[in-house]
Amino acid sequence: MGKPMNMKHGKEDDPLGFVLDSGSITGILCVYQYHNGKTAFWNPTPEEFKIIPPSPFLFRSPYQKFVVNPLGFGYDIVRDDYKLIRCVGYFNLEYEECEELGISWSDAPWKDLSYEYLWEIYSLKSNTWRKLDVNDSACSCFSNIAGVRLYTNEMCHWWQYGKKYDGVEVESFDLRNEVFFTTLVPLGDVYSKSLYMVGLNGSIAFISWTSGTTTFDISILCEIGVKESWTKLYSIGPFSCIEHPIPIGTWKNGFVFFRTKDNEIVLYDLQSQMIEELCIEGEHFSHILPYKKNLLSIGGINQ
């Protein structure tokens, strides 16, 4: 995920913004804060931020707090529109939090409060939020860790531990038709494994490995919604100097980035099986995103 980004808007300067790991969409990145819902689209080339207006649906009760989980950011080519889909979870305030706000914890109408997830989608073209009617099973975890989300071919994807399926599942959201697809992932004992989801030549791929080891399996999904279409392409390692792979969003040409035990980022060629040193220092939660410059102002993208 990298270092937090500053989100500046007028007199505001909040350093807790993270770049959404679904990647750069035609040069535009999505920066967010999961604890308060602040979100912005960011074009690094002209250093332009487009602050997304607050959702009118977020606030429910003074006795509840919420966590915002942005799940996908992408481009609807038919409507020439950039969209952001997210899920919001609601939790009761603790006794101490009620005291700090000057409200009575004992008088709270706990039984009447709603804990259903709020699903909503933002359109840059209309600059508005809309609610989505979604089954709660499509979101079972809240995470700002890299390697969880991905954007490919007008679809947003994220993986999670399934509610009804004892394992991992990939949820996919079609930005054009605004429908969901679920794909089960046959990984065996997933709770002993570490997982990163990446894009490989336009398809969904998983890098998986057993915790504490340095042998990595790379599998690709051939057809969304079909569990049996997962195909293992590579099994690489073990390595003596490598600690774990680095999520890279969508990648091509058979290269994988890894972080070494000395916190250096290296490039591994799947074909030649050679490791190239890049002289770049990494961090534990480093994340690499392909980026292509876009000189067009965010405000003028849809004009």
Side-chain angles (χ1 to χ4, degrees):
M1 185 77 53
K3 297 181 179 179
M5 303 296 300
N6 285 337
M7 292 181 65
K8 300 181 179 180
H9 183 218
K11 297 181 179 179
E12 298 181 10
D13 187 354
D14 195 328
L16 299 179
F18 291 89
V19 177
L20 189 64
D21 56 339
S22 57
S24 166
I25 313 301
T26 63
I28 309 300
L29 297 165
C30 180
V31 185
Y32 73 98
Q33 299 168 332
Y34 64 89
H35 65 287
N36 62 18
K38 289 183 179 179
T39 309
F41 292 163
W42 175 42
N43 187 341
T45 301
E47 284 294 334
E48 179 189 13
F49 277 90
K50 160 64 178 177
I51 303 297
I52 305 306
S55 165
F57 313 115
L58 269 183
F59 184 79
R60 283 186 179 174
S61 165
Y63 294 96
Q64 287 182 312
K65 54 188 174 183
F66 58 81
V67 174
V68 176
N69 189 25
L71 292 169
F73 163 59
Y75 180 64
D76 178 349
I77 191 171
V78 171
R79 296 170 181 82
D80 189 25
D81 194 9
Y82 291 80
K83 295 179 178 179
L84 170 69
I85 178 176
R86 68 185 188 182
C87 179
V88 184
Y90 291 86
F91 310 90
N92 289 340
L93 293 180
E94 301 292 339
Y95 181 85
E96 294 77 10
E97 293 174 313
C98 288
E99 280 194 328
E100 291 177 3
L101 294 174
I103 56 180
S104 173
W105 186 88
S106 58
D107 293 337
W110 301 118
K111 293 183 179 180
D112 298 328
L113 298 180
S114 172
Y115 301 95
E116 292 184 357
Y117 289 135
L118 165 66
W119 285 85
E120 54 186 1
I121 187 167
Y122 170 79
S123 160
L124 176 62
K125 199 165 191 176
S126 65
N127 196 32
T128 58
W129 289 95
R130 288 186 292 109
K131 284 185 179 182
L132 290 174
D133 185 15
V134 180
N135 188 314
D136 279 353
S137 63
C139 182
S140 65
C141 65
F142 287 79
S143 173
N144 67 328
I145 299 174
V148 174
R149 288 157 289 235
L150 180 69
Y151 170 79
T152 62
N153 304 322
E154 295 184 75
M155 297 188 74
C156 298
H157 315 276
W158 60 92
W159 73 265
Q160 61 192 15
Y161 295 107
K163 284 186 173 181
K164 298 180 180 179
Y165 170 65
D166 186 20
V168 168
E169 59 190 30
V170 174
E171 294 291 340
S172 302
F173 181 73
D174 184 334
L175 288 171
R176 183 187 302 184
N177 301 305
E178 298 189 355
V179 294
F180 286 86
F181 302 90
T182 300
T183 307
L184 306 184
V185 186
L187 289 173
D189 183 13
V190 298
Y191 298 104
S192 66
K193 294 185 177 181
S194 297
L195 307 170
Y196 282 145
M197 183 169 64
V198 298
L200 177 57
N201 295 328
S203 298
I204 300 171
F206 264 97
I207 302 177
S208 62
W209 67 101
T210 301
S211 300
T213 70
T214 57
T215 297
F216 306 94
D217 294 330
I218 301 176
S219 302
I220 191 170
L221 178 64
C222 298
E223 184 178 352
I224 291 175
V226 181
K227 175 185 175 183
E228 294 73 21
S229 70
W230 286 99
T231 303
K232 184 189 291 188
L233 295 182
Y234 304 97
S235 184
I236 58 176
F239 300 100
S240 60
C241 62
I242 283 175
E243 188 163 273
H244 64 70
I246 295 175
I248 188 179
T250 300
W251 48 281
K252 299 179 180 180
N253 303 323
F255 294 101
V256 182
F257 288 91
F258 285 93
R259 186 174 67 87
T260 69
K261 295 177 180 179
D262 297 326
N263 290 330
E264 296 291 327
I265 295 177
V266 298
L267 187 64
Y268 179 81
D269 188 326
L270 292 169
Q271 302 302 322
S272 68
Q273 301 182 16
M274 299 294 292
I275 294 177
E276 178 183 352
E277 296 183 357
L278 302 176
C279 298
I280 301 174
E281 186 175 347
E283 298 180 355
H284 185 69
F285 292 111
S286 295
H287 186 206
I288 297 173
L289 293 174
Y291 177 76
K292 185 177 181 179
K293 288 184 178 181
N294 185 345
L295 298 176
L296 187 61
S297 167
I298 296 175
I301 284 176
N302 299 119
Q303 296 178 2

